[in-house]
Amino acid sequence: MEAQSTGARRGPKPKPDVRDNLLRAGVELFHARGYTATGIKDIVAAAHVPKGSFYNYFDNKETFGTEVIDFFFERRLPKIQALLSNPDAPPLERLRHYFELRIDGSRASGYVRGCLLGNFSLEVADQSPLMRERLAVHFRTWSQLLETCIEEARRTGALTTPLPPSVLARFILNSWEGALLRMRAEKSDRPLNEFMTVVFGTVLV
Amino acid sequence: MEAQSTGARRGPKPKPDVRDNLLRAGVELFHARGYTATGIKDIVAAAHVPKGSFYNYFDNKETFGTEVIDFFFERRLPKIQALLSNPDAPPLERLRHYFELRIDGSRASGYVRGCLLGNFSLEVADQSPLMRERLAVHFRTWSQLLETCIEEARRTGALTTPLPPSVLARFILNSWEGALLRMRAEKSDRPLNEFMTVVFGTVLV
């Protein structure tokens, strides 16, 4: 998943929205600046709520971080599911199309931000078992969707590799995270394009 | 490249060492805590030098960061070169051995820290063109060493894939960075082991 502006809504909102506004601001700021560089005061300012309100909804920055991770992934999940289980396209084409759309998104955003799950994996995983656990859960869900496509490709004879679909799915997702990481340092789509070349030219054959 | 303790030396030192002590403390702290979470006061405290000294050697945190990146990579480069150009082993065995040693190192360190170049790629690449440029230079050097091995494997018939060695080398390095990223979130060597399985089972064939 790449950069996507989720900018917090402006102006006063009824109560039920405050929580969502805070989470939306969290996604936006953690994605743009990182977890450590973003303070709770930045979050409440971006969400246009008084600082005290934050603690009505969240215990501390770490529990807020875990909810931001969930909020980010769960809002993207339906689209990933729809793309990867589209019955009108063969499984390898679905996979290819999914990554092509992600590459288009990265190009459109100027190769910044990358994937929030990947960023958190590097920035907070050593310090926070709580956030680490949420990252692991979502990476698992995500790679299982890839795995289902790969299994289907194998069942239909589109894929002949003897490696287990689960191993291939996790490898592809991890490689994708690495390609996004390198995209951000190179500010170019080359790492993403080469990911496509090698994955669809040698791994998924 | 993974975690490696480079702990700053203790006690007063003659002048020529101050610069190196600061860089060594920079590697240690940026690697352990990240760039944003580490202040100049942490660096000078770890290097046991007065805060004012920092500015005798470095203009600001960003130029210090670029020199830390160089210091980190240049101290590891001779070992990478030696492993990847070892004339006593066939090229694919050299590659495999190189990554196996890196995996041993990650296991020994408890799956923390990952690769400083990868961490900086995510944490600072969007903000600092200066640091981004140094990362790009070192990634290029590193992937060229892999490329030379892959070229040699192809020349000697150990490798038959039609993909260009430069593309394969960059893909493998990027995937390795992704595997390290996921290792830190999973706190397990599975992403690294699956990297080996897929790279040596499907990419380098």
Side-chain angles (χ1 to χ4, degrees), chain A:
Chain A
M1 275 159 289
E2 286 72 63
Q4 186 173 320
S5 176
T6 56
R9 296 182 210 156
R10 284 167 192 287
K13 290 279 158 195
K15 276 275 181 200
D17 283 345
V18 173
R19 198 171 195 284
D20 266 18
N21 282 354
L22 288 166
L23 289 169
R24 219 171 271 122
V27 167
E28 175 65 19
L29 293 176
F30 289 156
H31 211 172
R33 304 184 196 166
Y35 178 80
T36 311
T38 304
I40 290 173
K41 70 175 187 334
D42 305 315
I43 308 277
V44 294
H48 303 283
V49 302
K51 182 155 185 187
S53 302
F54 181 88
Y55 295 100
N56 295 335
Y57 298 94
F58 307 100
D59 288 343
N60 52 46
K61 190 178 172 188
E62 187 185 18
T63 55
F64 177 67
T66 59
E67 297 218 35
V68 166
I69 292 169
D70 291 347
F71 188 81
F72 173 84
F73 186 73
E74 283 156 13
R75 284 167 63 94
R76 279 152 186 78
L77 185 57
K79 191 171 177 193
I80 308 176
Q81 281 170 322
L83 282 165
L84 292 182
S85 59
N86 171 15
D88 299 331
L92 291 186
E93 277 316 298
R94 300 202 296 260
L95 271 177
R96 183 188 285 277
H97 182 57
Y98 168 69
F99 286 113
E100 277 168 353
L101 285 179
R102 304 277 73 77
I103 294 175
D104 291 345
S106 295
R107 263 188 219 113
S109 75
Y111 311 119
V112 295
R113 296 187 171 198
C115 167
L116 189 69
L117 302 189
N119 301 353
F120 269 66
S121 296
L122 286 197
E123 206 189 345
V124 306
D126 285 356
Q127 314 151 29
S128 169
L130 257 186
M131 289 197 259
R132 196 158 69 223
E133 194 260 334
R134 299 314 300 159
L135 294 170
V137 166
H138 298 317
F139 270 116
R140 194 149 56 232
T141 302
W142 193 9
S143 75
Q144 276 164 351
L145 290 168
L146 267 65
E147 184 181 336
T148 304
C149 271
I150 295 171
E151 257 166 7
E152 192 182 327
R154 196 141 82 166
R155 234 184 4 255
T156 58
L159 199 66
T160 57
T161 172
L163 291 178
S166 59
V167 171
L168 293 167
R170 284 190 297 264
F171 173 83
I172 290 168
L173 207 50
N174 300 352
S175 296
W176 173 248
E177 289 293 334
L180 286 174
L181 178 153
R182 296 282 301 116
M183 167 201 88
R184 289 183 66 198
E186 281 197 16
K187 296 294 171 220
S188 112
D189 57 7
R190 186 171 72 172
L192 309 181
N193 297 334
E194 293 183 342
F195 165 88
M196 297 298 279
T197 301
V198 179
V199 164
F200 289 94
T202 71
V203 178
L204 292 179
V205 293

Side-chain angles (χ1 to χ4, degrees), chain B residues 132-151:
Chain B
R132 196 158 70 224
E133 194 259 332
R134 299 314 300 159
L135 294 171
V137 166
H138 298 316
F139 270 117
R140 197 150 52 234
T141 303
W142 192 10
S143 75
Q144 278 165 350
L145 290 169
L146 267 66
E147 185 181 336
T148 304
C149 271
I150 295 171
E151 258 166 7

Side-chain angles (χ1 to χ4, degrees), chain B residues 27-45:
Chain B
V27 167
E28 175 65 20
L29 292 177
F30 289 157
H31 212 171
R33 302 184 198 168
Y35 178 80
T36 311
T38 305
I40 290 173
K41 70 176 187 334
D42 305 315
I43 308 276
V44 294

